[in-house]
Amino acid sequence: MHSCLKRIFAQPLIQAPMVGVSTPQMAAAVSNAGGLGSLGIGASPVAAAQDMIEETRGRTSAAFNVNVFCHPPPQRDSAVEAEWLEYLAPIFHEFGFTPPAALKEIYKSFVEDEEAFRMLLIMRPKIVSFHFGLPPQDRINAMRDAGILTMATATNVDEVRLIEAAGIDVVVAQGVEAGGHRGQFALSERDLGLSLSVLIRLAVRSTRLPVIAAGGIMDVQGVRAALALGAAAVQMGTAFVLCPESAADSTYRAALKSERAIDTRLTSAISGRPARGIANRFMEIGAMGPPVPSYPVAYDVGKRLHTVTRAKGCDAFGAYWAGQGAALAREMPAAKLVADILRQI
């Protein structure tokens, strides 16, 4: 493992910062087991995010990662939003609910959230990671000056180079197999959809930074393959969803344990940005619909639709984010999962 990582955590295994799934209990369990636990605070109010960091510190003295979202602030288009709501209205009516009259931006991007930035400088987690892009350079510099190691997701070589030029310490190479949201910087540019194995080799060749492999890794065989390709460590997300420390609800867990888990697809319909999850009716309907509003504005109605349909016993509209290896998920405590993998590397 690269020396800059060894200073922070001992073993080459990171638990992905999954918003809505990762918890202080999970992050602490992974870090206590020798890996690197992570918190995803991108969708959390600042006070709640600070509470999560403090709770995790109360459960472990080891390092853990705190992840934030650096998406461009949404470009609001009232016509697009109205058309999307009109398109989804029949589904709300089908389940006996009135569709929302308007959409809202349900959380800020870190690129413009001064309060979140100040909170992180005060809390000084050992590691902060960025998804969907990079924050302003002065914020990166301030974190470096505060002794915080930084990581950022890349889906192609151009993004790897931008990460290195900004002075970030570590690249997280996200293959198209990965569950959850693609970390693509600019949605206006074509997503190359690079597989993890190809992206690792390209990234390792194009940067001097340590490269973390993320996407579809579920077991020790996947870990070994990524390390053999040149990754300094691996990041695993879907593999931890069934752990008891996970915040995933019963329908999410049931979907991941079912035969449906073999079929994962990328969709923008649920949130407004491409994300991979277990295929469902929402994805099919969204693929045939009008333009989707910007992220995370579209996520406002996506979350509401899941809430009302789930209240009626339907799980066909949930965001069950999962990678292509989802069918390999195992149900066990996070510490045992980490120990089993580290013992066999």
Side-chain angles (χ1 to χ4, degrees):
M1 194 163 66
H2 197 282
S3 58
C4 86
L5 298 179
K6 285 183 178 179
R7 294 198 308 268
I8 306 295
F9 59 103
Q11 300 293 341
L13 193 157
I14 301 170
Q15 164 249 314
M18 300 168 285
V19 169
V21 172
S22 54
T23 62
Q25 294 92 329
M26 177 185 287
V30 172
S31 291
N32 285 334
L36 179 70
S38 300
L39 299 173
I41 67 167
S44 299
V46 174
Q50 182 169 332
D51 287 346
M52 291 168 65
I53 294 171
E54 290 175 342
E55 181 179 349
T56 307
R57 282 182 169 161
R59 294 173 178 271
T60 184
S61 60
F64 57 90
N65 167 42
V66 177
N67 180 261
V68 295
F69 294 156
C70 295
H71 54 280
Q75 298 298 308
R76 303 298 298 267
D77 186 320
S78 58
V80 168
E81 293 173 20
E83 186 178 16
W84 186 241
L85 284 173
E86 183 180 4
Y87 180 69
L88 296 179
I91 304 171
F92 281 90
H93 295 313
E94 176 185 338
F95 288 89
F97 291 90
T98 301
L103 298 178
K104 60 183 179 180
E105 182 182 356
I106 56 177
Y107 45 77
K108 284 184 179 181
S109 170
F110 185 72
V111 303
E112 60 177 4
D113 194 336
E114 182 69 19
E115 185 184 2
F117 170 59
R118 293 296 169 191
M119 182 272 290
L120 288 177
L121 284 185
I122 292 169
M123 299 300 292
R124 294 196 182 192
K126 286 189 170 63
I127 303 174
V128 171
S129 60
F130 310 119
H131 202 62
F132 301 139
L134 301 175
Q137 189 64 50
D138 61 339
R139 295 192 174 185
I140 296 171
N141 297 342
M143 289 188 180
R144 183 191 306 112
D145 293 343
I148 298 170
L149 183 141
T150 54
M151 309 195 300
T153 301
T155 63
N156 58 52
V157 172
D158 286 343
E159 291 170 354
V160 170
R161 290 171 177 152
L162 288 172
I163 289 168
E164 183 171 31
I168 302 295
D169 298 299
V170 180
V171 173
V172 179
Q174 185 193 42
V176 75
E177 305 95 327
H181 285 89
R182 296 282 286 153
Q184 187 179 3
F185 284 23
L187 295 185
S188 58
E189 298 179 5
R190 186 171 72 89
D191 184 355
L192 298 178
L194 296 175
S195 68
L196 179 60
S197 60
V198 171
L199 181 57
I200 293 171
R201 296 305 305 149
L202 292 172
V204 168
R205 191 177 67 178
S206 63
T207 182
R208 295 170 296 175
L209 301 179
V211 174
I212 308 298
I217 301 172
M218 300 293 293
D219 51 27
V220 69
Q221 288 81 4
V223 174
R224 289 173 182 164
L227 296 179
L229 288 166
V234 301
Q235 180 171 283
M236 302 169 66
T238 308
F240 286 94
V241 175
L242 292 180
C243 293
E245 299 89 349
S246 159
D249 64 22
S250 59
T251 54
Y252 194 167
R253 293 173 185 270
L256 193 55
K257 289 189 282 187
S258 73
E259 293 182 357
R260 294 167 50 199
I262 196 65
D263 184 6
T264 66
R265 306 178 194 176
L266 284 168
T267 183
S268 295
I270 295 176
S271 71
R273 285 189 73 103
R276 182 178 295 281
I278 298 173
N280 61 17
R281 185 180 166 194
F282 198 168
M283 293 183 187
E284 294 171 355
I285 290 173
M288 299 181 290
V292 181
S294 293
Y295 173 90
V297 175
Y299 220 173
D300 182 23
V301 69
K303 289 177 179 291
R304 295 194 206 190
L305 190 56
H306 172 51
T307 298
V308 300
T309 54
R310 189 171 185 267
K312 297 291 186 176
C314 174
D315 69 350
F317 295 89
Y320 304 132
W321 303 135
Q324 287 185 338
L328 298 171
R330 297 176 292 166
E331 193 168 16
M332 65 176 69
K336 184 178 187 324
L337 177 59
V338 173
D340 283 356
I341 291 174
L342 295 182
R343 185 175 62 249
Q344 300 176 69
I345 293 177

